[in-house]
Amino acid sequence: MKINSFYSILLLFFCTHILFSQEENNDELKVVTEKVAVRKTKNEKNRAYEPLAPARAAFYSAILPGLGQVYNGKGLYWRLPIIYGALGAGIYSYTWNNKQYNRFRDVYKARLAGVDPNSPDLEFNDFSDDQLIDRQRRFRKDQELSLLITVGLYVLNIIDANVTAHLQQFNVSKDLSFAPKLDFNEFNAQPNYGLSLNYSF
């Protein structure tokens, strides 16, 4: 009987010891997290995401060429002379070709109306009718090409403002990282391979 009571006391002692040791181990397994402040450099801009900013920039550039580039930010003012120079060259080319076309057309129409080709009032006296027609076609073609290029440059100005506004909101911070990860399995000590994507808020 003494032996049974000794074993029962010993068993009770071990059970209480195991229970208290598990409680202590549970305290050690608690995970403590804390917030870490991320330091921003002076050059990083922390702009809020605006989903309508690209559409607004394109709309501004459609109303007045270059206004969308001004809306997008400070570093884009150098594009204004390029935009206005290209559009101005296209418009100048269109008006000059139109003027030349009208000159040759007026001379040709005057000849068809019966005016003497050698009259001092008419230009291009040494040109034949076929040459006048050929010049009209050439200047008309150049006029249409100038108009097409000018419209293309205008559309390119709108696309540039839209794409620039999109790219300004693209996340290129160092908080976003992609790295391979090697971890060991605790049960069989075999390596586990994988990839991790880390994003800091």
Side-chain angles (χ1 to χ4, degrees), residues 168-182:
Q168 281 184 339
Q169 299 190 67
F170 186 71
N171 186 6
V172 291
S173 68
K174 295 179 182 177
D175 296 336
L176 185 64
S177 63
F178 185 73
K181 182 179 180 183
L182 178 64

Side-chain angles (χ1 to χ4, degrees), residues 60-84:
Y60 290 159
S61 282
I63 291 175
L64 181 66
L67 190 59
Q69 283 77 4
V70 172
Y71 168 76
N72 282 333
K74 293 181 179 178
L76 303 173
Y77 295 121
W78 61 270
R79 295 182 184 177
L80 289 177
I82 296 171
I83 291 169
Y84 281 109

